[in-house]
Each structure stands twice: as structure tokens, then as C-alpha cells.
Amino acid sequence: MEVCIYRAYEEMSRAAAQLVADVLNAKPNAVLGMATGSTPLGVYQELVKLHQKGEVDFSHVTTFNLDEYVGLPITHEQSYHHFMHENFFRHVNIPPQNIHIPSGTTTNYRAFCEWYEKRIVECGGIDIQILGIGSDGHIAFNEPTSSLSSRTRLKTLAKQTIDDNARFFDKPEDVPIYAITMGVGTIMESKRIVLLANGAKKDQAVAAAVEGPVTSMITASALQMHPSTKMFLDEPAAGKLKMREYYDWIQYHKPGAPRV
Ligand code: F6R
């Protein structure tokens, strides 16, 4: 894992967006894995800016989202379909038929999940996957004790996640209890992974994921076994890392690293 710590959320978002843009510029028909939630918003805003400046083109890009709440129609303000459309898709030029988001309203979840997995493979696999991290250490909605080889499936959300996400809903009881989510095994097959975390609320989950044991209690810790994961953190999210000096030293001495 490569750990990069930035002074502020905006700087972290710009750096992560630039990495995604570099991947898309090197491979214009790349497959991009996308996350929702508050963390990646800055990256999406930066990618939209780069697109508007003509510095990245999405016309051959295919996308796969990590997850969706079960039971919310795609028009619901808190559905991940709505989130992605509002915050990203309507601002860039990804052909609508290239956009994949798990269905939260299918009548056959098992068949849908199998199709989603197959579709990722048919499209050539995910070239770069953007991830956030839950305060319980989840990636996508792979809650504690999820199998580290799990595939796309229906998942019951943990109480902690429901409480964390209640801020987006009118009433806590409106938060869906189930989600459809890519599995840890699915995510691990992505060629590159970018994990973003900001704020002190994530400091423990980040430290456990980066420096703790690989365990299904913190599904993000599985990324220690991934060959190309880069963590983009702001200062508060990095606050509990024990090897902080080492990460800074590495970044400073990387060939071509800016001497700031
Ligand atoms: C969302 C997702 C989740 C979030 C995580 C953090 O698609 O997969 O794992 O990344 O719950 O959410 P925020 O960014 O809202 O703190």
C-alpha cells in the first residue's frame, strides 16, 4: 500500500483526481470503478473541472459503481443512482449505456448480482477503482465479518453504517437496511485502487486498515494484499498512523516528487 497524506481535503482530492485522469488519458476506454458518499465528492468535482478544461475525456470510459441501497427508486434523492447523476454523470460525457450501477429495485437480486459480476469481466475488468472507507473499516458495503473473497451480493448494513448514513436522510428510520454491493473479492480484482479518507472520524479505520492485521473485521485491511493500492488521506484521517514519518519520508524521496 502506498500512503499519501495531504494537508487538506481539497489537495487530497486534486491529487487523486489527477491520478484517475492520468489512467484515463493513458487508456481512453478504461473501466472506472466509482464510489458514492461524501468522501469522493471532491474528486468528482476535480474530474469535472479537468473535463471542462479539455484535460480528460470520458467518451470511451465505462463505469461500475460499488453499491446501491435496496428499495430506493433511482429517482430517490438518496439513491446512489441519483447521487452519481447529480454529482458526476450529468457533468461529463460518459455514454449512458456505459454506466453501471447496481439495481436496488430488481426483482431477482441473485441473478442481478451474477450479471453484474459477468458484465465487469466482459468489459475487461476494472482498471481503477475509487473507494471510500466506513468508520467501521468497510469498503463498499462489506461490513465487518464479510468474507474477504465475497462477490457482488445483497448485504445487511451494520448498525454503525446506518447511524453514519442517517445524516443524509430526513429520519434515521428512513435509512435502508439492505444494500447490493460489490464484494471484497470483486474489488480486489481491480487493477489499481485509490482509497480516499478524510476527517478524524476515519482515523481509527484508516490505521486499522493500513497497519493492523488483515481481518474481515476491517474489510479495507484486505487491500494490504492488493498489488496496487494508493491511500489518499488528509491530516486528520492520518492522525492515528504509527508509521507516519516513514510514509512522509517515502513520498519525499520518490523520484520526481515535488520538493514542497
Ligand atoms: C459508498 C461506499 C461506502 C462509503 C463509506 C464512506 O459507495 O461504498 O463504502 O465509501 O461508507 O462514506 P462517506 O464517504 O460518506 O464517509
Side-chain angles (χ1 to χ4, degrees), residues 34-40 65-67 80 131-135 138-141 161 165 167-168 198 202:
M34 314 212 72
T36 53
S38 50
T39 313
N65 263 79
L66 289 168
D67 40 23
Y80 288 166
L131 295 176
I133 183 171
S135 60
H138 69 214
I139 45 174
F141 277 135
T161 301
N165 290 357
R167 69 191 193 277
F168 298 117
N198 67 295
K202 302 293 174 68

Side-chain angles (χ1 to χ4, degrees), residues 111-122:
F112 182 86
C113 293
E114 278 169 21
W115 173 81
Y116 204 70
E117 288 276 335
K118 262 197 231 125
R119 190 77 195 116
I120 294 173
V121 174
E122 270 166 22

